Amino acid sequence: MRAVTQAVKYIYLLTLAVWVGSIIFFSFVQAPTVFKALDPENAAKLQRATFPKYYMVGIVCAGLGIVCVAVLLAANVFKLPVAVLSLLLLAGMGSLNVWMRQGVAPQMAQVREARAAAKAPAEELDKEWKALHRLSVQVNGAVLFSGLVLLWVLVYSKAV
């Protein structure tokens, strides 16, 4: 049983590292580089093509993390309060990724396309897109913060 829990702890740590690392890379390396290297239209196309995969990484990591925490709780590696906090954060983070992937990102793409198709300045569309972008940044920040909290909890709980 010890070998199994060691493997699960490793998978859980790896899952959190991949998720947090992908958020940091996407937010602070990929997105700024794309908008510096490409014209706005092609940069936006690349981002729209990347977002579904980016959010799917989070969704998969959330599911895998939930399974790992459940196994670690059952094996008495995690105490109940640690497991509950971890499960709530993972479920919230995963839910936010689903909402962003299925709701907000497609809505942002529609607004961007409508802005591009408009002959005259589309101030209302600009305002809507900026609000959606701000929401996206805030949600991304909340997921990043939660992931960092989960890493801290994992280390603090002495499960690794």
Side-chain angles (χ1 to χ4, degrees):
M1 183 67 169
R2 179 156 166 75
V4 171
T5 57
Q6 291 297 100
V8 172
K9 286 190 295 186
Y10 175 75
I11 292 167
Y12 182 52
L13 178 61
L14 185 60
T15 297
L16 293 177
V18 166
W19 197 353
V20 168
S22 71
I23 295 168
I24 291 170
F25 177 78
F26 185 82
S27 300
F28 300 107
V29 178
Q30 193 264 352
T33 302
V34 164
F35 281 96
K36 285 181 184 169
L38 300 175
D39 61 89
E41 182 180 328
N42 284 318
K45 282 182 184 178
L46 179 58
Q47 292 299 86
R48 284 193 305 271
T50 304
F51 274 125
K53 295 168 183 75
Y54 169 73
Y55 291 123
M56 186 53 75
V57 167
I59 294 164
V60 169
C61 287
L64 190 53
I66 288 168
V67 170
C68 288
V69 170
V71 169
L72 294 172
L73 175 62
N76 292 319
V77 173
F78 276 168
K79 302 286 186 224
L80 186 60
V82 170
V84 168
L85 173 63
S86 299
L87 290 170
L88 288 173
L89 285 172
L90 287 164
M93 293 163 67
S95 297
L96 287 172
N97 273 260
V98 169
W99 177 49
M100 292 301 297
R101 184 178 196 273
Q102 300 303 118
V104 176
Q107 187 178 356
M108 288 177 74
Q110 288 175 345
V111 171
R112 183 177 280 280
E113 288 171 15
R115 278 175 42 196
K119 302 287 185 215
E123 294 164 10
E124 282 301 311
L125 292 172
D126 287 344
K127 189 176 177 181
E128 182 180 357
W129 191 88
K130 286 177 183 176
L132 288 168
H133 183 262
R134 184 172 39 258
L135 174 65
S136 173
V137 169
Q138 290 169 341
V139 168
N140 202 51
V143 172
L144 174 58
F145 178 77
S146 297
L148 292 171
V149 168
L150 284 170
L151 284 168
W152 183 84
V153 166
L154 182 60
V155 171
Y156 181 75
S157 70
K158 299 178 185 167
V160 289

